[in-house]
Amino acid sequence: MSVADREPALRRLTWRDAVASVLGTTVAVLLIAVGLPYFLDTSWAQIGAQLGRIRPGTAVVMAALLLGGLFSYTWVLMGSLPGLGHLQALKVNAVSATAANLLPLGGALGVGLMVLMLRSWGFARRALSSSVAVVGLWNILARVALPVIGCLVLVAGPIAAPEVVVRGGWVAVAAGTALVLLASLVVLSDRVADALASLGRPLLARLLPARPGRPPLDLLLTDQRRRVADVVRTSGVTMTLGMTGQFVLLFGLYWYAARVVGLDLPLAELVCAYTFRQFLTVVAVTPGGLGVTEVGTAGLLVLLGGDPGAASATALLYAIYAHVVIVPFGLAAGAAWWFSPARMNGSGLAAQEPSSLRT
């Protein structure tokens, strides 16, 4: 059987996708080119002067931190899919991240590309279904947990914030913590999961009506949750450490970028801005939240006492690495997979033992 017959197909792109991509990119460019200096009361001359501090050595250090973050994330993917190797996970991560950063709603395309690559290496659809669910859950929880950390630093740390901000921060901490705990209970507790499934069954029945030949929705959800729970119990610690390592290294990139362009803010303020930035990445109006995150986090840096020009340069420099520098790695990884013998002749789709896949 050929690769085309065995691999899951990506959704065909339409003119609506092209229009959404053009509009999203246009909004991102306008937000950065016009909105950044306008909303922060600075100019491109000032931003350019701050960016002019970058030297080849500092650029290499920032690239190394970016690659370190990408490599750390391989433990998340490997934990979710036993048998996956570091190099394979690094390729998948680079390709899916590039897709997410280039296209509005690119996360869905990134998942599709990830599944295609993993299927070509011989992984079964059932294992991939669990892996995608676990990785998605871990990413969502991380982007909820990070703002909680930022809010704790804001309300309990050395930052002198207004009382209304402190109260809002405590509300965010409570809401975020409750959401993380609820998600954990849903995954690990049959009783909690069954109770929530009973509450949501009427809505799910309307959204996904029963069809001949398709198993009942309750059985599908129960089976998926239990497989996810098995992965979490066996690899949850490894995945958490990998995710933590990624964000620590990427925060190191953010901190280093701030120092390079002359933004002299204490560590606590930078932690708040970085966690806020990661939360804003879920805004899918633009590719990877580009433009929205830069204006939002630069504005927060200014509110926390940063110079507008240096704050804008920090946000822009980090965005260059997160959205642009990563693209060549993603394209190279995608090309290496596309022209690999396993994908070309379909040999990777044969049944293999997990140990033989760790390359």
Side-chain angles (χ1 to χ4, degrees), residues 216-231:
L217 184 60
D218 288 359
L219 293 180
L220 290 176
L221 292 177
T222 300
D223 178 65
Q224 181 70 285
R225 191 198 64 78
R226 287 178 177 170
R227 284 188 282 125
V228 167
D230 288 340
V231 174

Side-chain angles (χ1 to χ4, degrees), residues 58-72:
T58 59
V60 171
V61 171
M62 288 187 285
L65 288 169
L66 176 67
L67 286 176
L70 289 174
F71 188 77
S72 183

Side-chain angles (χ1 to χ4, degrees), residues 114-326:
M114 180 181 73
V115 171
L116 283 177
M117 295 175 72
L118 294 173
R119 282 290 296 151
S120 74
W121 292 328
F123 290 98
R125 289 186 178 91
R126 184 179 176 86
L128 293 181
S129 174
S130 301
S131 174
V132 169
V134 171
V135 170
L137 175 66
W138 241 241
N139 277 281
I140 291 173
L141 292 181
R143 279 158 177 77
V144 172
L146 278 174
V148 169
I149 295 173
C151 288
L152 282 174
V153 172
L154 180 66
V155 301
I159 301 174
E163 181 64 24
V164 65
V165 175
V166 172
R167 291 179 181 176
W170 281 119
V171 171
V173 168
T177 303
L179 183 58
V180 172
L181 290 176
L182 178 61
S184 301
L185 288 173
V186 169
V187 172
L188 299 176
S189 171
D190 289 335
R191 182 175 298 178
V192 174
D194 291 342
L196 288 179
S198 297
L199 291 175
R201 189 173 290 114
L203 177 61
L204 291 174
R206 290 187 177 184
L207 295 176
L208 295 172
R211 291 181 181 177
R214 185 168 68 182
L217 184 60
D218 288 359
L219 293 180
L220 290 176
L221 292 177
T222 300
D223 178 65
Q224 181 70 285
R225 191 198 64 78
R226 287 178 177 170
R227 284 188 282 125
V228 167
D230 288 340
V231 174
V232 171
R233 290 190 182 98
T234 57
S235 304
V237 174
T238 299
M239 295 171 60
T240 300
L241 291 175
M243 185 75 76
T244 301
Q246 175 194 237
F247 284 124
V248 168
L249 287 166
L250 292 182
F251 172 72
L253 170 60
Y254 192 81
W255 173 87
Y256 192 68
R259 293 296 179 262
V260 166
V261 301
L263 181 65
D264 189 20
L265 280 179
L267 184 65
E269 279 81 348
L270 291 176
V271 169
C272 288
Y274 175 74
T275 56
F276 181 59
R277 183 195 188 281
Q278 294 305 116
F279 179 74
L280 285 179
T281 57
V282 301
V283 180
V285 176
T286 61
L290 184 63
V292 176
T293 56
E294 285 62 53
V295 173
T297 53
L300 180 58
L301 288 171
V302 172
L303 289 175
L304 294 174
D307 173 75
S312 300
T314 298
L316 188 60
L317 181 57
Y318 185 86
I320 289 172
Y321 276 86
H323 292 271
V324 179
V325 174
I326 196 176

